[in-house]
Amino acid sequence: MTVERIGVLGAGVMGGAIAQVCATVGFDVVVYDIDSEALVAGKQHATTGRFGLDSGVERAKLTREDADAALARITFTEDFAAAAHTDLVIEAVPERLDLKIRVFRDLDAAAPPSTILCSNSSGFPIQALAAATDRPELVVGWHWASPAPVMKFAEIVRTRTTSDATVAVVIGAATQCGKHPVVVQDTPMAWGYVANRVYFAMVAEAQKIVNEGIATADDVDQLMTDCYRWPAGPFGMVKGAGSGWTAT
Ligand SMILES: NC(=O)c1ccc[n+]([C@@H]2O[C@H](COP(=O)([O-])OP(=O)(O)OC[C@H]3O[C@@H](n4cnc5c(N)ncnc54)[C@H](O)[C@@H]3O)[C@@H](O)[C@H]2O)c1
């Protein structure tokens, strides 16, 4: 199966940036959001945001013509069916399991039978989303990192029902997006796949250190960046991820 048209659900921190990346590498993209203001903001971030197309031109990552062509490939819409009628949909609505299950049920009803349904969930069991559909073999996790135009991260989460063909198509799309896809197994008994399980264990320990009065959050961040050459410490990471790294 060839992916030409990608639907993105949610035009927030992740959805807008994911759409930008997909359009930059040649996919036609339809971004849907329930909130018209989010669609306007998502388009703005993809264009003039810190990691948007304009800054890509300024940093000579792409030409003005390529940036304009990428933007022209993205449709921002309040029409759910338009986003569902694509080859592959990436769901990036807020991290609430009930909401994602509802969205997958609606997607299954609206999308053509061959459409692959991906979730950018940070950690919910992908099997729970697959179970809301009649196409569990076409449901897979495609977990991105923020800022999506910069980070190579692509955690491809396969359930026990995801087909090999689906995994191959998503690996292909992620590779075309310039990412380094790594396939991992779904974890129905825990929140988080690989990256977030390790990351949140580290954040929990950092918070324990602050609660015990051993060091302040700023000092923990300073020590960790100095010791490991990380771009941000555990608390800075939490703040940065929440804002899409726009304020740092
Ligand atoms: N922010 C990050 O660093 C990050 C990184 C990786 C994964 N994620 C995951 O990506 C998903 C989205 O996170 P975000 O940070 O972009 O959230 P966000 O709040 O910035 O954006 C979510 C968008 O979804 C829209 N929305 C709400 N209900 C909707 C619906 N039913 N249909 C379509 N759109 C709807 C909202 O209006 C909003 O614009 C979450 O599952 C999150 O855990 C986030």
Side-chain angles (χ1 to χ4, degrees):
M1 178 214 182
T2 312
V3 176
E4 290 175 1
R5 208 168 160 75
I6 291 182
V8 176
L9 302 187
V13 170
M14 295 309 292
I18 290 170
Q20 175 194 329
V21 173
C22 293
T24 302
V25 300
F27 293 113
D28 288 322
V29 185
V30 183
V31 186
Y32 163 80
D33 201 294
I34 47 166
D35 179 353
S36 59
E37 286 177 18
L39 288 166
V40 172
K43 183 173 184 178
Q44 205 169 358
H45 285 139
T47 314
T48 57
R50 181 175 176 198
F51 304 101
L53 293 162
D54 288 357
S55 103
V57 173
E58 277 159 31
R59 289 180 292 119
K61 300 275 184 201
L62 73 173
T63 64
R64 180 76 264 163
E65 292 70 31
D66 288 345
D68 291 347
L71 192 61
R73 276 192 286 272
I74 311 176
T75 304
F76 293 87
T77 180
E78 289 177 81
D79 179 1
F80 179 74
H85 275 263
T86 49
D87 303 314
L88 181 152
V89 176
I90 304 171
E91 166 276 307
V93 307
E95 188 76 356
R96 273 180 33 214
L97 187 56
D98 63 325
L99 173 62
K100 288 186 189 283
I101 287 174
R102 187 152 36 89
V103 165
F104 268 71
R105 198 173 296 142
D106 293 346
L107 261 180
D108 190 40
S114 60
T115 300
I116 291 177
L117 309 182
C118 308
S119 177
N120 181 45
S121 173
S122 295
F124 287 129
I126 301 299
Q127 194 66 56
L129 308 180
T133 75
D134 285 331
R135 63 179 86 194
E137 72 286 359
L138 293 175
V139 177
V140 64
W142 180 356
H143 184 205
W144 297 61
S146 178
V150 175
M151 306 302 277
K152 299 277 182 206
F153 177 85
E155 197 170 37
I156 311 301
V157 187
R158 73 176 302 164
T159 73
R160 55 190 161 76
T161 48
T162 310
S163 72
D164 290 345
T166 296
V167 172
V169 169
V170 177
I171 286 176
T175 305
Q176 186 170 332
C177 287
K179 307 307 177 194
H180 292 158
V182 174
V183 180
V184 305
Q185 300 299 318
D186 192 29
T187 49
M189 303 309 288
W191 185 89
Y193 314 111
V194 174
N196 274 341
R197 276 180 68 179
V198 173
Y199 170 60
F200 278 98
M202 185 261 298
V203 170
E205 190 62 20
Q207 188 61 56
K208 205 164 145 222
I209 285 166
V210 171
N211 293 347
E212 288 169 5
I214 292 167
T216 66
D218 285 348
D219 287 344
V220 171
D221 276 353
Q222 188 68 55
L223 287 164
M224 298 308 284
T225 54
D226 288 345
C227 188
Y228 296 107
R229 298 183 70 186
W230 291 348
F235 298 103
M237 238 11 134
V238 172
K239 221 183 288 170
S243 72
W245 300 97
T246 49
T248 49

